Amino acid sequence: HSAPIVVSKRLRAMADDDGRRVCAFNGTNTLFACVSSDNRINVWDVASGALRMQLVDSGHLDAHYTCMAWGDGGVDSDVAPRSRKAAKKAISVDTELGLLALGTSTGAVVVWDVQGGRVSRVLDETGSEHGGTVECIAVSASGTSLFAGGRARDVVEWDLAAGRVRRRIRSDKHGTSAIAVGGIKPQLAVANAAVRVLDASGKRLARYPGHASPARCAQFSPNGRVLITAAADRDVRAWSVVADDSAPSASLPCRSSARSIDVRDCDGVPGEEEHDVVVTEVDGSAIVWRLPSALPGTREL
């Protein structure tokens, strides 16, 4: 592979100067959220590069945000609260901008209503469910479930409508450093150094050797056929979920460690044969790779 050729000055300005900054794009790639050094959440408009809003919790200096995930804020009828008492406690989020969930160093997960600019819910305020710092989180496509992992052996699935634990999923004995949820058929990827892909019931579908160090981030392609992971080794890896092979199908070298990754259908058109992989690096730059759905054969965009 040749050197990366796509660098975004806009993302460099958003990212500030801290390589450990917590950040993520929303589901439509129109907004980019980034946590500042004083724990304020800046939400940027991607098209204009303008700061759209700043979210500040009254206790923003009490605990550090450690990870972030966007969700659409929807509630399926199957899991919606059925009683008046439960309805009062149910999460309320404007679906135009959705929700923004952030893990913390105390073990709590803070869920923001982005449009309303307010905290909608705090999950596990004591940190007892997550066993300490929340290292990674992911929100289901329906916006009804939140998955959180950390140093504990189990990944915790939360029912966002009810604000309670739905189930615990066994992960790695060393904890979980990255989570991804998605695909046409619901799939969950849990990673430390090794990577496992599970179906909706928790049954293991695949296991990959992963990286030399714990994965920092993971995401499925829109069709669920490819899983992208990244660690501190400056190597973003693509794994074919449908192939019977534990070796990475493609390796995407970066100039610095990846902070976040995002995978989209080519040019935003569902059903295309290629995917665009956007890697935001710790130095504030970004690179876009074009990834064929039939691996291998990755090329730079």
Side-chain angles (χ1 to χ4, degrees):
H1 296 283
S2 56
I5 60 174
V6 178
V7 179
S8 169
K9 293 182 180 179
R10 182 176 295 122
L11 287 181
R12 186 183 299 279
M14 293 178 185
D16 249 339
D17 58 353
D18 188 346
R20 297 168 296 175
R21 189 79 74 228
V22 175
C23 60
F25 288 98
N26 70 338
T28 58
N29 271 358
T30 56
L31 298 175
F32 180 80
C34 186
V35 178
S36 65
S37 57
D38 60 355
N39 238 30
R40 299 172 188 267
I41 307 164
N42 296 314
V43 180
W44 302 82
D45 183 274
V46 173
S48 66
L51 180 65
R52 181 157 180 175
M53 66 184 71
Q54 187 176 77
L55 307 175
V56 184
D57 187 1
S58 58
H60 68 283
L61 296 179
D62 295 339
H64 293 292
Y65 290 128
T66 54
C67 51
M68 175 190 298
W70 287 84
D72 66 10
V75 177
D76 288 348
S77 58
D78 290 342
V79 295
R82 305 185 188 282
S83 67
R84 290 184 179 181
K85 182 177 180 180
K88 289 181 180 180
K89 295 182 178 180
I91 190 168
S92 175
V93 174
D94 189 301
T95 55
E96 179 186 355
L97 297 182
L99 62 84
L100 186 61
L102 296 104
T104 68
S105 56
T106 62
V109 175
V110 181
V111 182
W112 283 86
D113 170 2
V114 180
Q115 180 72 21
R118 62 185 179 86
V119 174
S120 292
R121 185 184 291 284
V122 179
L123 304 172
D124 194 17
E125 291 188 69
T126 64
S128 59
E129 298 290 350
H130 301 131
T133 301
V134 178
E135 303 287 351
C136 50
I137 53 176
V139 180
S140 65
S142 64
T144 60
S145 292
L146 182 145
F147 299 87
R151 296 174 184 173
R153 293 195 64 170
D154 294 342
V155 169
V156 181
E157 180 183 358
W158 290 88
D159 182 335
L160 281 176
R164 62 172 178 262
V165 175
R166 181 173 286 163
R167 62 172 173 165
R168 291 175 175 82
I169 303 168
R170 181 55 56 92
S171 182
D172 190 282
K173 65 180 181 179
H174 301 297
T176 306
S177 59
I179 299 175
V181 60
I184 297 175
K185 293 183 179 180
Q187 298 176 115
L188 177 69
V190 293
N192 193 281
V195 181
R196 293 192 304 153
V197 178
L198 315 173
D199 65 12
S201 68
K203 178 183 177 181
R204 192 175 80 179
L205 299 176
R207 186 184 188 278
Y208 309 112
H211 301 262
S213 59
R216 287 185 170 181
C217 42
Q219 187 172 340
F220 285 104
S221 63
N223 62 12
R225 295 169 61 88
V226 178
L227 174 67
I228 310 294
T229 61
D233 54 11
R234 298 189 296 176
D235 188 22
V236 176
R237 295 181 178 179
W239 312 89
S240 176
V241 177
V242 297
D244 187 18
D245 189 355
S246 62
S249 299
S251 180
L252 318 178
C254 299
R255 295 181 303 177
S256 60
S257 298
R259 177 192 290 116
S260 67
I261 52 179
D262 193 69
V263 190
R264 300 289 160 175
D265 282 315
C266 180
D267 298 325
V269 180
E272 289 284 351
E273 291 301 315
E274 295 182 310
H275 305 301
D276 289 342
V277 180
V278 183
V279 181
T280 307
E281 300 176 305
V282 297
D283 64 359
S285 61
I287 180 171
V288 182
W289 295 88
R290 183 141 293 172
L291 187 72
S293 58
L295 294 171
T298 302
R299 63 183 177 85
E300 292 179 48
L301 177 63

